[in-house]
Amino acid sequence: MSTLAIVVSLLLLMYLAYRGITVLLLAPLMAALAVILSGDIAYLLPIYTDTFMQALGGYVIQFFPLFLFGALFGQLMADSGAAQAIAQGIVTRIGRRHVVLTVVMACALLTYGGVSLFVVAFAIYPIGRELFRQADIPKRLIPAAIALGAFTFTMTALPGTPAIQNAIPIPYFETNSFAAPGLGIIAGLIMLGLGSVYLQTRVNKAAANGEGYGHHTEREAPLDDSEASSNMSLALALIPLVMVIGLNALFTYGVFPALDLGYIDAAFDNVSSSGQTGLWSILIALLSASAWLMVTRWRHWLDLKATVNKGIFGSLLPIFNTASEVGYGAVIAGLAGFALIRDAVLNVSPDNPLISEALAMSVLAGITGSSSGGLSIALDTLGAEYLAMAEAAGISPELMHRVATLAAGGMDTLPHSGAVITLLAICGLTHRQSYANVAMVTIVLPIVALISVITLGTLFGSF
């Protein structure tokens, strides 16, 4: 009954999230339902106040600074005009003849530099819309182009990306954001290359069938700070992105390894410097780039206070959505039926924990409709087991890190995914019009990249 209770609650969580009910309410309710159906109703209140809220609070304590500074940096990039300048610069250099690649690369550059994928979608859509209209390419392909650039390789594959998905495994495996860089680059090239080719075949097929941009009632976005601010050169706009990646690498490989941080471990019982320096490097890079934008654009801000407030407030919903899913996962992990599920997943491939890990991350990301949510639940409940399995099998924690992020970035974009629903709403399109192409570039091709990395990692190890 306990296992059945878990399955029922997971299915309801997925269905109701797809129907638009907030996870902030769904997570505790579905956790409570699982407890009740398992026959543990007598422990319902302490499970909520202790297990659920302790897990939620622990996640917020660990990752809130990353959400906070990431959201702030993204808003500063948007409102300073930097995001717009980068997008226009790419249009100028790649050219309007390569419309799909232009949109993909604009999204990729911004997200790899630390700008939130939602900010990127809002910033790039108006540009993509005009490019697609002028080239007479079907509008229904815009979401797939944005998704390929923002939701895939820069989120999970490329070494050093400050995306939260790439940061979550750090404390569990004691790695850093540059884990398995060679394999990450290979996975990124697979997603970018195959995705671009696939989308171009869709463009060619549409042209052969005489299908153009189509007739759409466009909802023009109101003038925002990024459009109202004075023009920024491409070189100036790229500096904060270079700072994020460069400072992250500098502190990860140069500054922190050169310091003796033993005094930190001695002073704080619950802090392991080896498991935290990866996160600290990302935070320093994001905060430094944000400060640079504020200072260098000081005379051009329309309302810096409003921009900062918007960025800060924009971090609250994502962090608490994900933390609520982690709380839900902690409750599920405490039920008797979870032991059967855990053992089944761990025994999928006893000799190769990479396969088991990939399966766990993919399934939970698909159920929650969130790569960060699924990744957090899986590592919070199974992270210690996977690390032990990796050590026993002689597998590098860096390889486990990269496989975990890649797996979480595949099934996370099923139809009920909040990111997919938001993207389609921004573009003014429906699932029927655009989802098939979005699924191809965000589910099918990332799975191909994941399988490739697992194969190469098994044969040659981490590199």
Side-chain angles (χ1 to χ4, degrees), residues 79-337:
D79 290 356
S80 67
Q84 186 83 357
I86 290 171
Q88 294 290 4
I90 291 175
V91 170
T92 301
R93 285 156 179 77
I94 296 182
R96 297 179 183 273
R97 292 179 299 173
H98 307 286
V99 169
V100 171
L101 183 61
T102 297
V103 172
V104 170
M105 294 309 298
C107 293
L109 186 57
L110 289 170
T111 49
Y112 187 48
V115 182
S116 162
L117 60 89
F118 295 108
V119 172
V120 169
F122 275 109
I124 298 300
Y125 168 65
I127 298 171
R129 179 185 61 204
E130 292 308 311
L131 289 174
F132 274 61
R133 177 189 287 152
Q134 293 172 16
D136 203 26
I137 296 172
K139 182 184 177 182
R140 61 182 175 82
L141 296 177
I142 295 178
I146 293 176
L148 176 58
F151 295 9
T152 59
F153 59 97
T154 58
M155 185 178 78
T156 62
L158 295 188
T161 175
I164 183 65
Q165 292 81 0
N166 194 38
I168 289 172
I170 290 174
Y172 296 97
F173 297 134
E174 296 191 356
T175 50
N176 58 60
S177 60
F178 292 87
L183 290 170
I185 291 172
I186 290 172
L189 290 175
I190 289 173
M191 285 185 260
L192 172 60
L194 294 182
S196 299
V197 170
Y198 170 78
L199 289 179
Q200 191 58 50
T201 63
R202 298 300 91 193
V203 171
N204 295 341
K205 183 176 180 180
N209 293 336
E211 180 186 1
Y213 182 80
H215 300 287
H216 302 275
T217 302
E218 304 290 359
R219 177 174 54 81
E220 299 294 338
L223 187 69
D224 62 15
D225 285 357
S226 64
E227 295 170 312
S229 60
S230 61
N231 291 331
M232 182 188 294
S233 69
L234 177 62
L236 196 61
L238 287 173
I239 290 176
L241 302 188
V242 174
M243 287 181 67
V244 170
I245 302 301
L247 289 175
N248 185 7
L250 176 63
F251 278 87
T252 296
Y253 292 113
V255 176
F256 284 129
L259 297 176
D260 181 5
L261 301 178
Y263 70 95
I264 294 178
D265 297 332
F268 296 90
D269 294 336
N270 297 321
V271 174
S272 170
S273 59
S274 61
Q276 294 294 322
T277 53
L279 287 174
W280 295 342
S281 298
I282 298 175
L283 294 178
I284 292 170
L286 287 172
L287 189 57
S288 299
S290 296
W292 188 91
L293 275 170
M294 292 183 195
V295 173
T296 58
R297 302 295 293 171
W298 188 258
R299 296 183 179 181
H300 301 286
W301 292 107
L302 297 182
D303 191 341
L304 179 58
K305 181 178 71 175
T307 292
V308 171
N309 287 343
K310 187 176 181 181
I312 297 300
F313 294 148
S315 69
L316 297 180
L317 185 59
I319 180 66
F320 278 101
N321 274 341
T322 306
S324 294
E325 291 171 341
V326 171
Y328 168 82
V331 172
I332 296 300
L335 299 178

